[in-house]
Amino acid sequence: MAQASTADSPKAGVRVVLAGGGTTGHIAPMIATAEAIRRLVPDADLSCVGTTKGLETRLVPDAGLALELVAPVPMPRKPTPDLLRVPARLAGSVREAGAILDAHAAQVVVGFGGYASMPAYLAARRRGIPVVLHEANAVPGLANKVAARFAKKVLACFPGTPLPHVEQVGMPVRPALDELAAVGRASRQRAAREALGLDVDRPTLLVTGGSQGARSINTATMAARDEILAAGVQILHVWGPKNFTDDMTVITDESSGGAYHPVPYVDGMENAYAAADLVVCRSGAATVYEAGLLGLPAIFVPLPHGNGEQSRNATSLVAGGGGFLVADADFDGARMSREVLDRITDADALAAMAAVGPTLFTAGAAERVARIVLDQAGAPMSGDDHVA
């Protein structure tokens, strides 16, 4: 299964293997970290490890990074015959990951959770290769719980993440988001609204369920749409490509001027964030961190599955007043209208919410993680004698 290159050994230069995959929550920070490493050490040898089961098969190559594959080893949630097969499957994936580490003469492994991380962690441990792990969610996944016992560095996005010796470093994000955080959404709002075909002077609600969309949020939005438009608000509704249909079109309330703008996706979510006064969204780790980082007031509707990590991800931001949390089961059209209209035209309330996130989450996490990784590799970087 492993697609390791037949590299000459020994190899010179900095050699880093990054592991993670499945969802964008694991993949996006992996890509952001890899790109930060390359900015610091342009000739670094970087390889990402993933599986055929996740979005990494598309997203990692699209980012211009090498992707090598190991067999996924899902952990059955209930006792089944598949549970008995896990040890043998894991052993095979560890061998595949080991072949990748050997081919690259890896100096350090950095993992972000997901099916691909566990084999890479275990293969690295067998070889005495230092492991750095980053946990995006407030509730750690199994792979990172196991690896935290022997990792050289345990990094987390959110405060209070229950892992040993954990250091909060934030969420590695794309440079465009860090740049927007530095200049402020207000400085880009007018241009972003123009670029998205929105009224530059009208209160703007962003609705997004992430790259895959969110059925309950989409359904509630359609039920609440007319009431929100009647209040003179415009809605930028990002449906997700799989949910968008050709008959979806702009709808305008002729009396108020409020308009509904449905789109399958936004190429560069920093533009949508800059355009918005308020966002309705899930509370995946990246979404929470980005909203807080940019000071974008949010109504979070956690995905009602998994181990409760989505609710926990938003805890610090909601507790500080930067967002509100509504259970998925309670989020219907009436609730959405009330939550949105109570806030989106209240400039003082929005300003108070916007001020919270930047005090909790700071820009530059990708470089912070990259420097920690490179320090484990003993690597000097461009403009630096060595990592501090």
Side-chain angles (χ1 to χ4, degrees):
M1 187 74 179
Q3 299 178 356
S5 61
T6 55
D8 294 333
S9 184
K11 296 183 72 172
V14 179
R15 304 176 301 280
V16 180
V17 171
L18 304 97
T23 67
T24 54
H26 296 128
I27 301 164
M30 179 172 71
I31 291 173
T33 299
E35 292 174 342
I37 291 171
R38 186 146 284 161
R39 289 192 295 273
L40 292 167
V41 183
D43 62 349
D45 176 49
L46 305 178
S47 184
C48 297
V49 178
T51 78
T52 58
K53 296 289 187 181
L55 297 173
E56 63 267 27
T57 55
R58 176 174 59 85
L59 297 179
V60 170
D62 284 353
L65 295 165
L67 176 66
E68 305 185 65
L69 304 175
V70 298
V73 187
M75 181 65 69
R77 293 184 179 273
K78 298 178 181 179
T80 68
D82 277 347
L83 188 60
L84 301 175
R85 302 185 184 100
V86 167
R89 289 174 174 172
L90 181 59
S93 291
V94 171
R95 285 193 295 272
E96 293 170 348
I100 295 170
L101 302 187
D102 292 343
H104 289 273
Q107 294 172 310
V108 61
V109 169
V110 53
F112 297 86
Y115 291 148
S117 291
M118 182 76 88
Y121 292 150
L122 296 178
R125 187 186 190 191
R126 288 181 179 180
R127 288 160 174 76
I129 299 170
V131 169
V132 176
L133 70 85
H134 181 274
E135 177 56 61
N137 287 298
V139 180
L142 177 61
N144 281 352
K145 283 182 179 179
V146 171
R149 300 172 185 173
F150 57 81
K152 293 292 186 181
K153 290 288 185 177
V154 179
L155 312 177
C157 176
F158 297 114
T161 302
L163 290 171
H165 315 296
V166 68
E167 177 183 351
Q168 185 192 355
V169 295
M171 175 70 80
V173 299
R174 293 180 297 110
L177 293 167
D178 279 340
E179 180 188 354
L180 181 59
V183 301
R185 289 186 305 107
S187 69
R188 301 280 177 85
Q189 190 169 80
R190 189 177 187 90
R193 289 179 179 177
E194 287 180 345
L196 292 165
L198 303 173
D199 186 325
V200 296
D201 296 316
R202 191 168 295 279
T204 303
L205 172 68
L206 171 63
V207 178
T208 176
S211 60
Q212 303 301 303
R215 180 178 298 177
S216 59
I217 292 178
N218 290 341
T219 300
T221 301
M222 297 308 292
R225 182 187 65 192
D226 292 348
E227 186 175 356
I228 294 173
L229 296 188
V233 175
Q234 62 187 345
I235 303 172
L236 176 62
H237 186 176
V238 184
W239 277 85
K242 70 177 184 179
N243 303 309
F244 191 82
T245 60
D246 291 339
D247 60 346
M248 293 179 178
T249 187
V250 175
I251 296 172
T252 302
D253 184 300
E254 298 298 338
S255 175
S256 72
Y260 172 75
H261 297 261
V263 295
Y265 63 91
V266 173
D267 188 13
M269 277 298 289
E270 63 274 8
N271 293 321
Y273 290 145
D277 296 299
L278 178 69
V279 61
V280 173
C281 55
R282 291 296 194 198
S283 51
T287 302
V288 171
Y289 197 85
E290 289 167 4
L293 175 68
L294 300 174
L296 176 58
I299 298 169
F300 296 114
V301 186
L303 187 71
H305 306 300
N307 57 5
E309 71 273 9
Q310 286 218 350
S311 293
R312 291 277 297 278
N313 289 341
T315 296
S316 59
L317 188 57
V318 169
F324 290 85
L325 200 68
V326 181
D328 187 84
D330 297 333
F331 196 71
D332 57 12
R335 182 68 182 271
M336 179 173 177
S337 292
R338 184 166 72 251
E339 297 286 349
V340 169
L341 296 179
D342 281 353
R343 298 177 178 91
I344 197 165
T345 58
D346 186 337
D348 290 340
L350 290 177
M353 293 176 70
V356 175
T359 68
L360 300 173
F361 308 142
T362 57
E367 181 169 324
R368 286 193 289 275
V369 176
R371 287 179 177 274
I372 289 168
V373 171
L374 290 168
D375 189 48
Q376 290 298 314
M381 293 165 287
S382 298
D384 291 319
D385 293 327
H386 195 268
V387 187

